[in-house]
Amino acid sequence: MNTRRVLLFVPLLLAIGLGLFLWKGLSLDPKALPSALIDKPFPEFEIESLMDPERKLNRADLIGEPVLVNVWATWCPSCKIEHPQLMEIARQGYKIYGLNYKDERQAAKIWLQQYRNPYTANIFDKEGRLGFNLGVYGAPETYVLDAQGVIRYRYAGPVSIDVWNQLKALLDDLRKQS
């Protein structure tokens, strides 16, 4: 008889456990996607430039000063939304390297002509291999690199003015350190 009474409490305990698990999930930021590459060097690569297929870009191009690496594509509606903010960031003198992700070269070139080009250079990652090595979930994503090419922060989603203020503070701190 005692075993039957204990078994009556099992569903209650399971419900409480599930409730606590779901309650904890409500406090998490859905934009905060952890990256295993934080505080690690940007992956090695040698990939064609979007604008000039004869030019190969590599990790060394990203080293020397703190920079942003922005993952974008013409098929990405959020990339169009963040683009004016990227233009403003470039106007303020911050370097942004583009990672054109799983896109068509001609479409991307036309897109940059139409909306203007905020990027210092664009890596043409047609197959998405570099994106895979970075752990890209989709576009847009933005990475902050220090002067040594180490990834210090990753943001998934469009860069808004509020997001830019956070990224700018981090870049400015990294500039002071280098």
Side-chain angles (χ1 to χ4, degrees):
M1 191 71 162
N2 285 337
T3 307
R4 285 183 114 190
R5 283 188 181 172
V6 170
L7 289 176
L8 289 174
F9 288 103
V10 170
L12 177 63
L13 292 174
L14 287 174
I16 290 171
L18 181 62
L20 290 172
F21 178 76
L22 294 174
W23 179 71
K24 174 66 177 160
L26 290 174
S27 66
L28 299 176
D29 180 3
K31 291 277 188 193
L33 296 171
S35 174
L37 295 180
I38 299 297
D39 295 329
K40 294 190 176 148
F42 196 87
E44 291 289 339
F45 68 95
E46 185 171 270
I47 302 177
E48 295 174 359
S49 163
L50 171 67
M51 302 309 267
D52 179 8
E54 300 298 316
R55 179 179 175 209
K56 300 285 186 193
L57 298 169
N58 59 49
R59 184 176 178 277
D61 291 306
L62 308 177
I63 294 175
E65 66 181 287
V67 298
L68 297 176
V69 176
N70 178 255
V71 179
W72 70 280
T74 59
W75 48 260
C76 163
S78 297
C79 295
K80 188 175 179 183
I81 292 168
E82 80 173 352
H83 197 76
Q85 184 61 51
L86 296 178
M87 291 299 300
E88 179 57 30
I89 293 167
R91 268 194 290 278
Q92 292 176 22
Y94 292 88
K95 283 189 175 179
I96 309 168
Y97 286 87
L99 175 59
N100 184 244
Y101 181 65
K102 294 186 176 182
D103 211 346
E104 296 299 322
R105 184 185 304 272
Q106 194 57 34
K109 287 173 132 180
I110 291 169
W111 199 88
L112 289 174
Q113 288 173 343
Q114 183 177 358
Y115 299 110
R116 298 183 300 165
N117 187 351
Y119 303 108
T120 300
N122 254 298
I123 302 159
F124 183 57
D125 191 19
K126 181 174 178 57
E127 303 301 320
R129 288 189 181 115
L130 179 56
F132 178 80
N133 290 340
L134 278 171
V136 169
Y137 283 82
E141 288 186 18
T142 303
Y143 295 81
V144 176
L145 277 58
D146 68 15
Q148 292 74 41
V150 175
I151 298 170
R152 296 300 177 187
Y153 185 75
R154 171 188 183 205
Y155 180 77
V159 175
S160 65
I161 186 69
D162 293 332
V163 171
W164 167 236
N165 287 332
Q166 294 172 5
L167 298 178
K168 182 179 185 298
L170 180 55
L171 281 170
D172 289 343
D173 284 347
L174 290 171
R175 282 180 167 183
K176 289 176 191 171
Q177 294 172 17
S178 54

